[in-house]
Amino acid sequence: MVRRRHDAARKELVTKLAGATSIAITTGAWTSKAVVSFVTYTSHYVTDDWKLVSHVLETKRFNGSHTAETLAASTEAVLSRFNIAHDTVQCLVHDEAPNQMAASRLLRSQHHWDYQACAAHRLQTCIRHAITASRPVTKLLASSRQLVGHFSHSAKSTEALNNKQVAMASASKSGTPLRVIQDVPTRWNSSFLMLQRLIHLRLPIMAVLEDPKLTKSSHRHLQLKDHQWNLAKEIVAALEAPAKATTVLGGETYCTQTLVVPVAKSLLRGLPLDPRSRSLGFLDSDEDKDELKSEIVRRVCAQITADSNGSSSDDECILEPPAKRPMEEDMSLFFACPSVEPSTTSSAASDCEVEVTQFFTEKQVGSSVDPLDWWRTNADRFPTMARLAKRVLCIPATSVPSERVFSAAGIIVSKLRASLTHENVDALVFLHANSGLQAARTAAPVAVQQLMPRLERFAEEEADDLPPLPDL
């Protein structure tokens, strides 16, 4: 029954994907409770009415070594099963594991697909390196983990902490006592969240540890020193912005590619297609702004030529990548191709320049404006740039969409259900993640319906541990 419903929803998704002109793919690997390796693939595209749509394609069991060749072959097989044409794939987004990067380079050489490493992964890598480079910080984190571990493994201490929170009005807004948070190396922002929660619960924690009736004398050493509390406050203040950036960049319902901090030249060149950034304020000099505008003109002309020839404009500017590439090139997007002269008429080139010039001379829109809403209204005024915008704005800045599936999959493939076949794992994850599909929504299997309350509670608990989203 589950497989039949999965097949019906899958056919519906194949039909939807057939109407997409530009598709971005994210991938992520995870291991089940039964120590079975899976790889999840998601698709992202902008519809004709300028809506960003995301779907989980497949959660595939991965046998054997995760070599570049096997990863590349697996990606090709998944796209083939969903009838996704090679010329519609714009970009592959994934973590920066060497084998995955090598697989993407192989696919680029074969199909001219672009790829980029997850921006959130790179941001977290920078944060992790900065934290581990400081001895006082590493000592603070070690002490904090011991403190959190004490409350996590002692029911008596946890109950006492809950009571102190209520007495001191340190609980959540709803009045529910807050839990301490243990950081996990593989979980983004977890050290920040751990310290942030400890600072919030500092007074209740101190009250519990200093009470001889609640805490043994052998555990009094767990109390952080004053200088450690001060250091924790400094770290939280420093990591608050990166933590919010990671949360924002991991969104699926809005364009994230143009929200990436412009630290790589390739990402900078995709930013102007977001009308909120056309003032080019992220560039320092007028020369850089003029150069970028010229590049946009060239790209628009290339798009016109590609449309008239019925081929992809990227075919003109794909070079064989070297074995090792600089970080900026690894983050490459649509504009990362070498400069070439498009074979277009002078009239078409003039039209391109007029269109781009008009775009950049219009009034800057507010940061709260959804770029897709703006393009929906103005696509007819900038038809060629609109086609380019669809190709760029569908690309997620991170591989979070595929990795977000892991949370639901971890509940579906629990210890009590670790013997599920990989086909049923794929079907259950697919139906849960693609609940917006008519076939999945009207014929959800009983297993998924039973899991929904647990998944919703899990999502609420996760949300309690995350900082609020800033206004976009």
Side-chain angles (χ1 to χ4, degrees):
M1 180 183 296
V2 171
R3 297 303 304 281
R4 287 199 302 270
R5 292 169 176 172
H6 165 261
D7 291 342
R10 183 178 174 279
K11 290 180 180 178
E12 181 182 346
L13 178 54
V14 169
T15 302
K16 288 181 176 293
L17 292 173
T21 57
S22 300
I23 300 176
I25 304 294
T26 76
T27 67
W30 57 282
T31 303
S32 71
K33 297 290 185 180
V35 197
V36 177
S37 178
F38 289 89
V39 178
T40 296
Y41 298 84
T42 69
S43 63
H44 309 265
Y45 61 93
V46 177
T47 63
D48 291 338
D49 58 349
W50 292 92
K51 292 182 179 180
L52 183 62
V53 180
S54 301
H55 293 291
V56 169
L57 296 179
E58 191 170 298
T59 298
K60 178 182 179 182
R61 180 174 180 174
F62 203 94
N63 297 316
S65 301
H66 292 204
T67 64
E69 291 74 17
T70 54
L71 287 171
S74 174
T75 301
E76 290 177 316
V78 170
L79 299 185
S80 175
R81 282 192 286 274
F82 283 85
N83 297 335
I84 298 177
H86 290 173
D87 59 354
T88 64
V89 178
Q90 296 304 313
C91 189
L92 304 177
V93 184
H94 45 70
D95 61 28
E96 48 189 347
N99 56 344
Q100 185 63 70
M101 299 296 285
S104 291
R105 286 195 289 268
L106 179 61
L107 290 170
R108 180 177 181 179
S109 66
Q110 295 175 348
H111 306 299
H112 299 169
W113 296 345
D114 210 343
Y115 67 94
Q116 71 175 67
C118 171
H121 269 284
R122 290 197 159 171
L123 179 58
Q124 293 302 312
T125 298
C126 294
I127 294 173
R128 186 165 56 250
H129 288 337
I131 289 177
T132 56
S134 172
R135 181 173 176 81
V137 174
T138 55
K139 291 180 65 176
L140 168 63
L141 292 177
S143 299
S144 300
R145 293 181 187 115
Q146 289 183 341
L147 179 58
V148 171
H150 169 71
F151 285 99
S152 299
H153 296 93
S154 172
K156 178 181 177 181
S157 297
T158 298
E159 183 180 1
L161 180 61
N162 292 342
N163 293 334
K164 292 293 183 181
Q165 288 185 60
V166 174
M168 295 181 175
S170 298
S172 63
K173 294 181 180 180
S174 63
T176 304
L178 299 173
R179 302 169 300 161
V180 290
I181 300 173
Q182 183 67 274
D183 70 337
V184 181
T186 57
R187 184 181 177 190
W188 299 340
N189 299 324
S190 60
S191 296
F192 163 78
L193 295 173
M194 176 179 70
L195 295 177
Q196 185 185 55
R197 181 59 55 83
L198 287 178
I199 291 172
H200 181 78
L201 299 178
R202 177 180 180 177
L203 294 180
I205 288 174
M206 293 176 63
V208 172
L209 293 179
E210 293 173 357
D211 190 336
K213 296 180 181 179
L214 301 175
T215 305
K216 297 179 180 179
S217 58
S218 59
H219 291 155
R220 302 284 174 79
H221 71 282
L222 295 174
Q223 179 65 273
L224 298 181
K225 306 297 188 294
D226 287 342
H227 72 275
Q228 289 181 309
W229 284 113
N230 292 333
L231 178 59
K233 290 181 180 179
E234 293 178 6
I235 295 173
V236 168
L239 295 182
E240 185 172 6
K244 289 182 178 180
T246 302
T247 302
V248 171
L249 290 176
E252 290 186 64
T253 59
Y254 52 88
C255 299
T256 57
Q257 187 58 250
T258 53
L259 298 177
V260 177
V261 178
V263 294
K265 190 175 182 179
S266 55
L267 290 180
L268 279 172
R269 289 181 173 178
L271 206 56
L273 292 174
D274 187 331
R276 299 171 297 181
S277 305
R278 62 174 158 219
S279 66
L280 307 183
F282 53 87
L283 294 177
D284 296 327
S285 67
D286 292 336
E287 290 78 7
D288 290 339
K289 294 179 181 180
D290 292 338
E291 180 183 354
L292 181 50
K293 290 179 181 179
S294 298
E295 177 69 8
I296 297 292
V297 171
R298 192 190 69 79
R299 281 291 171 176
V300 173
C301 293
Q303 179 67 50
I304 291 177
T305 302
D307 291 343
S308 62
N309 295 335
S311 61
S312 172
S313 61
D314 284 346
D315 294 346
E316 302 175 3
C317 55
I318 295 298
L319 296 181
E320 191 72 24
K324 294 184 178 180
R325 301 169 56 190
M327 181 178 295
E328 288 186 357
E329 293 185 7
D330 287 342
M331 295 284 284
S332 63
L333 291 176
F334 176 72
F335 295 108
C337 300
S339 180
V340 296
E341 292 299 328
S343 56
T344 182
T345 65
S346 58
S347 176
S350 177
D351 292 341
C352 293
E353 189 168 357
V354 170
E355 183 174 328
V356 174
T357 300
Q358 182 181 354
F359 176 83
F360 282 109
T361 55
E362 291 208 352
K363 183 180 179 180
Q364 176 90 1
V365 300
S367 60
S368 61
V369 174
D370 187 332
L372 294 179
D373 289 340
W374 189 92
W375 277 110
R376 183 183 301 112
T377 304
N378 295 276
D380 292 339
R381 298 171 54 215
F382 307 100
T384 310
M385 291 190 69
R387 290 194 289 272
L388 292 179
K390 275 191 176 182
R391 299 178 63 181
V392 173
L393 298 180
C394 72
I395 303 174
T398 71
S399 57
V400 169
S402 58
E403 297 179 6
R404 186 172 282 125
V405 176
F406 305 167
S407 297
I411 297 176
I412 292 174
V413 193
S414 64
K415 291 181 179 180
L416 298 178
R417 310 178 75 214
S419 297
L420 278 172
T421 64
H422 61 91
E423 293 89 355
N424 284 337
V425 170
D426 177 34
L428 290 171
V429 171
F430 181 92
L431 290 170
H432 165 67
N434 296 312
S435 58
L437 295 175
Q438 182 68 22
R441 185 169 60 253
T442 58
V446 176
V448 175
Q449 293 176 350
Q450 293 174 343
L451 284 171
M452 283 305 297
R454 295 177 59 193
L455 291 172
E456 292 171 355
R457 289 197 301 271
F458 179 82
E460 292 175 356
E461 292 174 356
E462 289 290 294
D464 289 341
D465 292 341
L466 293 174
L469 281 173
D471 295 332
L472 297 179

